[in-house]
Amino acid sequence: MSALEQQLEAFRQQVTSVDSEADLQQLKVAFLGKKGSVSQLRRQMGKMKPEERKAFGAAFNRCKNQIESELEDRRKHLDQQARLRDLERTEDLTMPPTRPRFGTLHPITRTRRELLATFRRLGFDVAEGPHIEHEAYNFDALNFQPEHPARDEQDTFFVRGQHGEEGSGIVLRTHTSPVQIRSMLTRQPPIRVVAPGTVFRRDDDPTHSPMFHQIEGLYVDRDVSMADLKATLLQFTSAFFGTGLDIRLRPSFFPFVEPGAEFDMQCPFCRGDGCNVCKTTGWIELGGSGMVHPAVFESVGIDPEEYTGWAFGFGIDRMAMLLHGIPDLRLMFDGDVRFLEQFPC
Ligand code: PHE
């Protein structure tokens, strides 16, 4: 009996210093587990007389129950302490959480993606070319004569070489038209591609930025005509701006097309009546277009007797400005979040 009391005493000394659930479990095993010190005492029962055995059995159970209930008390005490520690924390748990700030797509990125989706639905592949381009692709293969004013340093950023050294220079591409050349060199007709991308010119005022974005279209096959060009442009403007807007082609000159034309679309805001977006003309200028010049076909090894084609190119930034009513092109490139936050997705 006194052995049981000794064990109970030893348990009590230890339980008050236990301060974790794991240690509590360990203590329980040490006393009440199969090989625990209290459980061991049970073996003595075999040698006892029946009277003694009965009394010992009762005392054993009392001791065991006592230990169990004191373990439980200690567990509750630990729980309570943990809860008190939580309450002492200084955070105000009733504060609303700070929301993470999500970025949104830049208006130009959105417009580019929407344009590409529209052209993909019309059956065009997306092609790309480098920003740093051979002068040969940016100008020569596109039938620009060596003395063409567009090559002049006034417009072109030369990376290597200079105006006058025909064919050898490296430039920041001044338009997406070199992707026409790259596409015709790597694909066989029928070719149907659109090429979006950044282009560079030495220009800087409210409507011009030295870095801006264009999208080029090219279609080459047998029997392609100017009528196909106009039909495609009309399909595009209808898919992008909605039906009912007319387009028109005005004769114009670009060295790589013949005939060449600028294309306009009826103003989507006033539908042709005249407003401040279209400067009361009823029309919005979108870009250049025309039938691929035979000299361009020759420069890429496509037989102009067998194939014809058309191309167009227009500014993506102008399109984004139109769609969102943005007054100054340079706002798009300043990276000012107060401006950009106005275009949630
Ligand atoms: N590359 C011309 C420009 O930047 C646009 C254009 C593309 C014109 C294709 C005709 C055909 O102004």
Side-chain angles (χ1 to χ4, degrees), residues 267-283:
C267 176
F269 294 96
C270 61
R271 306 211 140 237
D273 291 344
C275 66
N276 61 350
V277 176
C278 58
K279 302 192 190 85
T280 72
T281 61
W283 294 91

Side-chain angles (χ1 to χ4, degrees), residues 142 144 174-177 180 201 212 214-217 254 256-257 260-261 287-290 310-314:
L142 288 165
F144 280 82
T174 57
H175 50 179
T176 42
S177 299
Q180 286 187 37
R201 288 183 201 175
F212 59 105
Q214 286 188 331
I215 185 166
E216 192 86 9
F254 302 93
F256 40 96
V257 286
S289 65
W310 50 247
F312 64 75
F314 59 82

